[in-house]
Amino acid sequence: LRELPPVPGQWRSTFEQTFADLVLFLSRRTRLQTMPVVVSRTIPAPFASLAGSPPDWKNQLERCLRKLGFPAPTDNAENEAPLLIETYEGPFPLRRKKGRTESLGITLDPSELDEAPSAPGRRLRVRFLHPDAPASGVRHLAESGWIVVRRQPNGHLIVTEASGDRLIPDVTAQSAFLRFAEFLADRLAHAAG
C-alpha cells in the first residue's frame, strides 16, 4: 500500500515510482532464488559446552533473507554457496564460582580465529561478531575480505568493510536485518557483474 499525494497531478509520478519499485523487487527476487546461502554458527571448540542455543536474531536474519528472495539458508559451511554468513557471537560465559556475585564472559579476538580458505564460488563472506570484539581484530578481519557485522543492543548493525564502517539502523518501517539483506543482495549483484 502506498499513499497517494493530495494533488491529483502528482499521481502519475507516484504510479510510475510504485511500478518501478515493483519491477525492481520482482527482478531481484528472481535473481536471488538461484543464489544459495549458508548461515552457520561458528563456536570455538573449547567453548562449545558454554555456547548454549543459537541467538534469536539468527532466525530473524534467515527470515529476512527468505523474504527478500534468497532460498532457505542451509547451515552446512562446506556448501560452496556464493554467500557465507557466520554467526560468531560470544562472549562465552565463564562458570560461576562460589562467592562470586556476577558472571564474567570471554570475548575472543576475531583475528585469532582459524581462517578457512575461501571457496572459489564464494562472492561474499560475512561474520557476525560480538559488539565488544577488539577493534584491531575487526579491522584485520575486514581487510582480509570479510564483511564484519556487530549487532548493537538497540538492534542497529555496524557493518565493517575494508573501506570503513557503516551504520544500518533498526527502524520501525524496516528492520536492520532486512536492510542488511538488501545490502548483501546489491553486493552479490555487483559482484556478479
Side-chain angles (χ1 to χ4, degrees), residues 30-53:
T30 303
R31 247 189 354 255
L32 294 179
Q33 287 174 347
T34 63
M35 295 188 178
V37 180
V38 173
V39 181
S40 71
R41 186 168 185 228
T42 305
I43 302 170
F47 301 106
S49 63
L50 303 174
S53 58

Side-chain angles (χ1 to χ4, degrees), residues 28-40 62 65-66 68-86 119-126 181 184-185 187-189 192:
R28 176 189 277 166
R29 191 168 190 78
T30 303
R31 247 189 354 255
L32 294 179
Q33 287 174 347
T34 63
M35 295 188 178
V37 180
V38 173
V39 181
S40 71
E62 291 176 354
L65 290 168
R66 285 193 311 270
L68 201 62
F70 285 101
T74 177
D75 61 356
N76 181 7
E78 303 300 318
N79 187 329
E80 293 186 12
L83 175 59
L84 167 68
I85 300 174
E86 288 186 356
R122 284 214 209 291
R123 296 189 197 127
L124 289 181
R125 297 181 302 160
V126 178
L184 294 176
R187 279 303 179 88
L188 282 171

